[in-house]
Amino acid sequence: MKQLFALLTVLALCSIPAAAQKKPVPKTKAKTSASGAVSGAVLAKGKAVYVQNCLTCHQADGLGVDEMNPPLSKTSYVLGDKARLVNIILNGMQGQDIDGEPYRNLMPSFSTLTDQQIADVLTYVRSSFGNKTSAVQAAEVKTIRAANKK
Amino acid sequence: MNRSVTRYLLLAPALVGSLSLLALRSETIVAADPDNAGLKLPAGFGALKVAETGGRARHLTVTPQGNIYVKLNRPNADGKGILMLRPSSGGKAEVAGSLGNYGGTGIYSTKDYLYASSDEAVFRYKLNAQGEVESPAQPEKIVTGLINRKQHESKSITLDREGNLYVNIGAYSNTCQEQDRQKGSKGKPHCPILDSAGGIWQFRTDKLNQSYGQGVRYATGLRNVVGLDWNTQANQLFVMQHGRDQLYDNFPALYNSKQSAELPAECLYALKKGDNAGWPYLYYDPQQKKKMLNPEYGGDGKKEATGNYIDPAAAYPAHTAPNALLFYTGTMFPEKYRNGAFIAFHGSWNRAPEPQKGYYVVFQPFKNGKPSGPWEVFADNFAGSAAAAAAGRPEHKPCGLAQGPDGSLYVSDDRKGTIYRIVYNKK
């Protein structure tokens, strides 16, 4: 009886951290609410990554710099294929016309950002500057990063 | 019958006479726009919009006949990269032709020749007595095969008075890092970019198909020069360098975003053959008035650079992008402007998140061929408002400067393609 009680206690204790670990999982999966809007917390995290890494070139309003750094507002690159977009962050980019316009500056690789940071910043960009399209998940970034390495 | 013929014969010269008088008047009367073309100018000056070209008007030049040639950054709808404007009335001009199937920045004229650059080559065209290009389809290609890797691609040009052409070949990099613009990436030792870029090359104006082998690396260690001009008083080349970007982005442990917005200065250099201005190893700190070692090469914001590098002749606010330099030799403007320098600042982007700056034409006084005294903003508000300037969303961006035969100062705008003319009214 005593042994059984001890076993139950151990099981109960174990399930506490398990439950605690479970919590963030649905959170990352359920970034978009039922209405499709991205949560304010995710946007705030994404914005922080943007300010630290992207703002100098793409500017606070996301409209870029004429001839130099491309805008992030309603361009096919930002609104289109997620894999192409994630790969630009991982590999950098130069000399690519965007929607018919040339840009001369070089974007370095930001592959040191974590999957979560890349997901957050792209989710922020895809729902800011006049953009309104789906969030990017850390798991998607992970898959794209793995394919990018091959 | 006889009588009437005589009458007509008399009438004809009278008509021609009055027409030429009209033409003369329309050329001599330059009417400033009521709002001075939206510009803020010192007392006594006025400005007008000469023309709206609708193109990305980089540099421009005015012939002794008053014809204006404008270099477009990319060819227009007709596939032409140079516009020719003829004087019309009231000091304005209208597009009368176009030539050259290449985009670019540089354009310069003498009495006899028009010189223009693509991002890889320099061409020249013979001008006739009317200041017109007679064979627009057959330019002489005097320089060819210059490196163009998108970044800092403008091949700006100027001439001395001894038949030499000076061409900027900008460095295709921020600071010669192993990984360009990558956070924390180190600078390459003995930066290999300097072999073919990051300096001013000298060529002859009258030789065909010159490239690196035929030219001289006149000065090195210059990251990117868009504005350059020959000073006839000092008999010397002066250039405006675009300083390095992103001290905070790439070295956040050493610089904050405020310091990054104010460092480094945009510098004016007086060059002699063989000079080295120190890029990529150093930047100029305008507060400390010192040449500092770049963090890519072991600098920390405190270590000074060592080595045989020239000092700037003058320094201006960081990242404001000096795209044109012009020594004023006219007599229309008051005495203080004679032989001084006008500098067109295209405007910043690398000051974010701090407010952006520039979008103005500065006057730098000179005495005996050297900068003398503080610079001042001469023509302001190309941006349209202080808020538009601070946001980095200007209406116009001054990019080129030229002096007209009467001493007017012309300014080109590569955002909307407006051509401005600044005149002095007070007598």
mmCIF file of all heavy atoms in Angstrom, chain B residues 95-123:
data_model
loop_
_atom_site.group_PDB
_atom_site.id
_atom_site.type_symbol
_atom_site.label_atom_id
_atom_site.label_comp_id
_atom_site.label_asym_id
_atom_site.label_seq_id
_atom_site.Cartn_x
_atom_site.Cartn_y
_atom_site.Cartn_z
ATOM 1 N N VAL B 95 12.668 68.584 -73.723
ATOM 2 C CA VAL B 95 13.396 67.450 -74.284
ATOM 3 C C VAL B 95 13.318 67.529 -75.804
ATOM 4 O O VAL B 95 12.231 67.592 -76.384
ATOM 5 C CB VAL B 95 12.835 66.108 -73.773
ATOM 6 C CG1 VAL B 95 13.547 64.936 -74.448
ATOM 7 C CG2 VAL B 95 12.984 66.008 -72.255
ATOM 8 N N ALA B 96 14.490 67.567 -76.455
ATOM 9 C CA ALA B 96 14.536 67.703 -77.907
ATOM 10 C C ALA B 96 15.104 66.450 -78.570
ATOM 11 O O ALA B 96 15.069 66.330 -79.790
ATOM 12 C CB ALA B 96 15.395 68.905 -78.289
ATOM 13 N N GLY B 97 15.614 65.541 -77.779
ATOM 14 C CA GLY B 97 16.159 64.325 -78.361
ATOM 15 C C GLY B 97 16.712 63.409 -77.295
ATOM 16 O O GLY B 97 16.727 63.772 -76.105
ATOM 17 N N SER B 98 17.138 62.222 -77.714
ATOM 18 C CA SER B 98 17.729 61.283 -76.765
ATOM 19 C C SER B 98 18.708 60.393 -77.511
ATOM 20 O O SER B 98 18.623 60.248 -78.732
ATOM 21 C CB SER B 98 16.642 60.456 -76.088
ATOM 22 O OG SER B 98 15.885 59.753 -77.056
ATOM 23 N N LEU B 99 19.650 59.836 -76.790
ATOM 24 C CA LEU B 99 20.677 59.005 -77.412
ATOM 25 C C LEU B 99 21.246 58.043 -76.385
ATOM 26 O O LEU B 99 20.954 58.164 -75.194
ATOM 27 C CB LEU B 99 21.795 59.879 -77.999
ATOM 28 C CG LEU B 99 22.590 60.762 -77.034
ATOM 29 C CD1 LEU B 99 24.038 60.849 -77.473
ATOM 30 C CD2 LEU B 99 22.005 62.167 -76.978
ATOM 31 N N GLY B 100 22.076 57.110 -76.870
ATOM 32 C CA GLY B 100 22.772 56.188 -75.965
ATOM 33 C C GLY B 100 21.834 55.113 -75.451
ATOM 34 O O GLY B 100 20.836 55.427 -74.802
ATOM 35 N N ASN B 101 22.160 53.845 -75.696
ATOM 36 C CA ASN B 101 21.230 52.766 -75.299
ATOM 37 C C ASN B 101 21.602 52.156 -73.947
ATOM 38 O O ASN B 101 21.328 51.001 -73.694
ATOM 39 C CB ASN B 101 21.212 51.686 -76.387
ATOM 40 C CG ASN B 101 22.597 51.095 -76.613
ATOM 41 O OD1 ASN B 101 23.565 51.525 -75.966
ATOM 42 N ND2 ASN B 101 22.702 50.122 -77.496
ATOM 43 N N TYR B 102 22.239 52.947 -73.084
ATOM 44 C CA TYR B 102 22.705 52.419 -71.800
ATOM 45 C C TYR B 102 22.315 53.358 -70.651
ATOM 46 O O TYR B 102 22.279 54.569 -70.810
ATOM 47 C CB TYR B 102 24.225 52.233 -71.822
ATOM 48 C CG TYR B 102 24.974 53.464 -72.308
ATOM 49 C CD1 TYR B 102 25.420 54.430 -71.405
ATOM 50 C CD2 TYR B 102 25.185 53.698 -73.670
ATOM 51 C CE1 TYR B 102 26.072 55.569 -71.840
ATOM 52 C CE2 TYR B 102 25.836 54.836 -74.112
ATOM 53 C CZ TYR B 102 26.272 55.762 -73.201
ATOM 54 O OH TYR B 102 26.903 56.899 -73.639
ATOM 55 N N GLY B 103 22.027 52.744 -69.492
ATOM 56 C CA GLY B 103 21.829 53.527 -68.276
ATOM 57 C C GLY B 103 23.167 53.849 -67.660
ATOM 58 O O GLY B 103 24.204 53.387 -68.135
ATOM 59 N N GLY B 104 23.158 54.650 -66.589
ATOM 60 C CA GLY B 104 24.406 54.999 -65.919
ATOM 61 C C GLY B 104 24.264 56.279 -65.133
ATOM 62 O O GLY B 104 23.144 56.745 -64.884
ATOM 63 N N THR B 105 25.401 56.846 -64.749
ATOM 64 C CA THR B 105 25.374 58.047 -63.911
ATOM 65 C C THR B 105 26.170 59.201 -64.509
ATOM 66 O O THR B 105 25.715 60.338 -64.545
ATOM 67 C CB THR B 105 25.929 57.723 -62.504
ATOM 68 O OG1 THR B 105 25.008 56.869 -61.840
ATOM 69 C CG2 THR B 105 26.101 58.987 -61.667
ATOM 70 N N GLY B 106 27.379 58.927 -64.995
ATOM 71 C CA GLY B 106 28.305 60.010 -65.335
ATOM 72 C C GLY B 106 27.990 60.715 -66.636
ATOM 73 O O GLY B 106 27.642 60.064 -67.631
ATOM 74 N N ILE B 107 28.113 62.032 -66.634
ATOM 75 C CA ILE B 107 28.006 62.816 -67.867
ATOM 76 C C ILE B 107 28.790 64.109 -67.669
ATOM 77 O O ILE B 107 28.812 64.669 -66.557
ATOM 78 C CB ILE B 107 26.536 63.051 -68.281
ATOM 79 C CG1 ILE B 107 26.450 63.465 -69.755
ATOM 80 C CG2 ILE B 107 25.842 64.041 -67.360
ATOM 81 C CD1 ILE B 107 25.124 63.123 -70.397
ATOM 82 N N TYR B 108 29.479 64.553 -68.724
ATOM 83 C CA TYR B 108 30.350 65.721 -68.615
ATOM 84 C C TYR B 108 30.513 66.268 -70.022
ATOM 85 O O TYR B 108 30.536 65.515 -70.990
ATOM 86 C CB TYR B 108 31.718 65.279 -68.065
ATOM 87 C CG TYR B 108 32.663 66.407 -67.732
ATOM 88 C CD1 TYR B 108 32.743 66.913 -66.439
ATOM 89 C CD2 TYR B 108 33.488 66.959 -68.716
ATOM 90 C CE1 TYR B 108 33.620 67.947 -66.132
ATOM 91 C CE2 TYR B 108 34.366 68.003 -68.411
ATOM 92 C CZ TYR B 108 34.418 68.490 -67.112
ATOM 93 O OH TYR B 108 35.288 69.511 -66.804
ATOM 94 N N SER B 109 30.616 67.603 -70.132
ATOM 95 C CA SER B 109 30.838 68.144 -71.476
ATOM 96 C C SER B 109 31.900 69.218 -71.472
ATOM 97 O O SER B 109 32.088 69.946 -70.486
ATOM 98 C CB SER B 109 29.537 68.698 -72.062
ATOM 99 O OG SER B 109 29.067 69.795 -71.303
ATOM 100 N N THR B 110 32.621 69.285 -72.589
ATOM 101 C CA THR B 110 33.487 70.420 -72.886
ATOM 102 C C THR B 110 32.832 71.111 -74.079
ATOM 103 O O THR B 110 31.759 70.697 -74.530
ATOM 104 C CB THR B 110 34.899 69.940 -73.261
ATOM 105 O OG1 THR B 110 34.814 69.177 -74.466
ATOM 106 C CG2 THR B 110 35.512 69.089 -72.166
ATOM 107 N N LYS B 111 33.486 72.117 -74.604
ATOM 108 C CA LYS B 111 32.954 72.811 -75.768
ATOM 109 C C LYS B 111 32.814 71.847 -76.956
ATOM 110 O O LYS B 111 31.897 71.962 -77.756
ATOM 111 C CB LYS B 111 33.909 73.961 -76.127
ATOM 112 C CG LYS B 111 33.449 74.899 -77.210
ATOM 113 C CD LYS B 111 34.361 76.118 -77.268
ATOM 114 C CE LYS B 111 35.810 75.789 -77.647
ATOM 115 N NZ LYS B 111 35.990 75.316 -79.035
ATOM 116 N N ASP B 112 33.695 70.874 -77.028
ATOM 117 C CA ASP B 112 33.775 70.028 -78.222
ATOM 118 C C ASP B 112 33.230 68.612 -78.056
ATOM 119 O O ASP B 112 32.947 67.951 -79.050
ATOM 120 C CB ASP B 112 35.248 69.917 -78.670
ATOM 121 C CG ASP B 112 35.828 71.280 -78.998
ATOM 122 O OD1 ASP B 112 35.150 72.038 -79.704
ATOM 123 O OD2 ASP B 112 36.943 71.586 -78.508
ATOM 124 N N TYR B 113 33.159 68.121 -76.830
ATOM 125 C CA TYR B 113 32.765 66.723 -76.637
ATOM 126 C C TYR B 113 31.775 66.560 -75.491
ATOM 127 O O TYR B 113 31.820 67.282 -74.489
ATOM 128 C CB TYR B 113 33.987 65.845 -76.327
ATOM 129 C CG TYR B 113 34.865 65.580 -77.535
ATOM 130 C CD1 TYR B 113 36.025 66.326 -77.751
ATOM 131 C CD2 TYR B 113 34.531 64.578 -78.443
ATOM 132 C CE1 TYR B 113 36.827 66.082 -78.854
ATOM 133 C CE2 TYR B 113 35.328 64.327 -79.555
ATOM 134 C CZ TYR B 113 36.474 65.077 -79.758
ATOM 135 O OH TYR B 113 37.264 64.832 -80.844
ATOM 136 N N LEU B 114 30.928 65.536 -75.654
ATOM 137 C CA LEU B 114 30.070 65.072 -74.571
ATOM 138 C C LEU B 114 30.600 63.710 -74.125
ATOM 139 O O LEU B 114 30.813 62.825 -74.955
ATOM 140 C CB LEU B 114 28.626 64.923 -75.075
ATOM 141 C CG LEU B 114 27.626 64.345 -74.077
ATOM 142 C CD1 LEU B 114 27.304 65.354 -72.980
ATOM 143 C CD2 LEU B 114 26.344 63.908 -74.785
ATOM 144 N N TYR B 115 30.840 63.555 -72.820
ATOM 145 C CA TYR B 115 31.310 62.288 -72.254
ATOM 146 C C TYR B 115 30.176 61.706 -71.416
ATOM 147 O O TYR B 115 29.500 62.443 -70.688
ATOM 148 C CB TYR B 115 32.520 62.502 -71.346
ATOM 149 C CG TYR B 115 33.730 63.060 -72.078
ATOM 150 C CD1 TYR B 115 33.832 64.425 -72.355
ATOM 151 C CD2 TYR B 115 34.761 62.230 -72.493
ATOM 152 C CE1 TYR B 115 34.939 64.940 -73.035
ATOM 153 C CE2 TYR B 115 35.872 62.729 -73.166
ATOM 154 C CZ TYR B 115 35.952 64.085 -73.435
ATOM 155 O OH TYR B 115 37.042 64.581 -74.108
ATOM 156 N N ALA B 116 29.958 60.393 -71.490
ATOM 157 C CA ALA B 116 28.917 59.757 -70.680
ATOM 158 C C ALA B 116 29.352 58.352 -70.314
ATOM 159 O O ALA B 116 30.067 57.693 -71.073
ATOM 160 C CB ALA B 116 27.610 59.709 -71.452
ATOM 161 N N SER B 117 28.908 57.879 -69.145
ATOM 162 C CA SER B 117 29.314 56.540 -68.703
ATOM 163 C C SER B 117 28.121 55.627 -68.502
ATOM 164 O O SER B 117 27.047 56.050 -68.076
ATOM 165 C CB SER B 117 30.115 56.624 -67.400
ATOM 166 O OG SER B 117 29.294 57.016 -66.324
ATOM 167 N N SER B 118 28.333 54.345 -68.811
ATOM 168 C CA SER B 118 27.442 53.290 -68.343
ATOM 169 C C SER B 118 28.047 52.808 -67.023
ATOM 170 O O SER B 118 28.970 53.429 -66.513
ATOM 171 C CB SER B 118 27.384 52.148 -69.364
ATOM 172 O OG SER B 118 28.632 51.483 -69.413
ATOM 173 N N ASP B 119 27.599 51.695 -66.493
ATOM 174 C CA ASP B 119 28.191 51.192 -65.253
ATOM 175 C C ASP B 119 29.444 50.345 -65.508
ATOM 176 O O ASP B 119 30.041 49.813 -64.579
ATOM 177 C CB ASP B 119 27.165 50.388 -64.444
ATOM 178 C CG ASP B 119 26.042 51.282 -63.942
ATOM 179 O OD1 ASP B 119 26.262 52.502 -63.810
ATOM 180 O OD2 ASP B 119 24.936 50.762 -63.691
ATOM 181 N N GLU B 120 29.844 50.259 -66.789
ATOM 182 C CA GLU B 120 31.053 49.494 -67.144
ATOM 183 C C GLU B 120 31.999 50.222 -68.089
ATOM 184 O O GLU B 120 33.135 49.789 -68.291
ATOM 185 C CB GLU B 120 30.677 48.171 -67.841
ATOM 186 C CG GLU B 120 29.846 47.208 -67.027
ATOM 187 C CD GLU B 120 28.357 47.448 -67.173
ATOM 188 O OE1 GLU B 120 27.956 48.122 -68.141
ATOM 189 O OE2 GLU B 120 27.592 46.981 -66.303
ATOM 190 N N ALA B 121 31.537 51.317 -68.715
ATOM 191 C CA ALA B 121 32.312 51.917 -69.798
ATOM 192 C C ALA B 121 32.095 53.432 -69.845
ATOM 193 O O ALA B 121 31.174 53.959 -69.229
ATOM 194 C CB ALA B 121 31.888 51.297 -71.130
ATOM 195 N N VAL B 122 32.999 54.108 -70.602
ATOM 196 C CA VAL B 122 32.847 55.548 -70.824
ATOM 197 C C VAL B 122 32.877 55.812 -72.334
ATOM 198 O O VAL B 122 33.729 55.261 -73.044
ATOM 199 C CB VAL B 122 33.961 56.366 -70.129
ATOM 200 C CG1 VAL B 122 33.700 57.863 -70.276
ATOM 201 C CG2 VAL B 122 34.085 55.988 -68.653
ATOM 202 N N PHE B 123 31.955 56.635 -72.797
ATOM 203 C CA PHE B 123 31.826 56.956 -74.217
ATOM 204 C C PHE B 123 32.035 58.458 -74.414
ATOM 205 O O PHE B 123 31.822 59.251 -73.498
ATOM 206 C CB PHE B 123 30.419 56.594 -74.719
ATOM 207 C CG PHE B 123 30.061 55.148 -74.527
ATOM 208 C CD1 PHE B 123 29.496 54.713 -73.324
ATOM 209 C CD2 PHE B 123 30.284 54.224 -75.528
ATOM 210 C CE1 PHE B 123 29.168 53.369 -73.135
ATOM 211 C CE2 PHE B 123 29.956 52.881 -75.361
ATOM 212 C CZ PHE B 123 29.391 52.454 -74.157
#
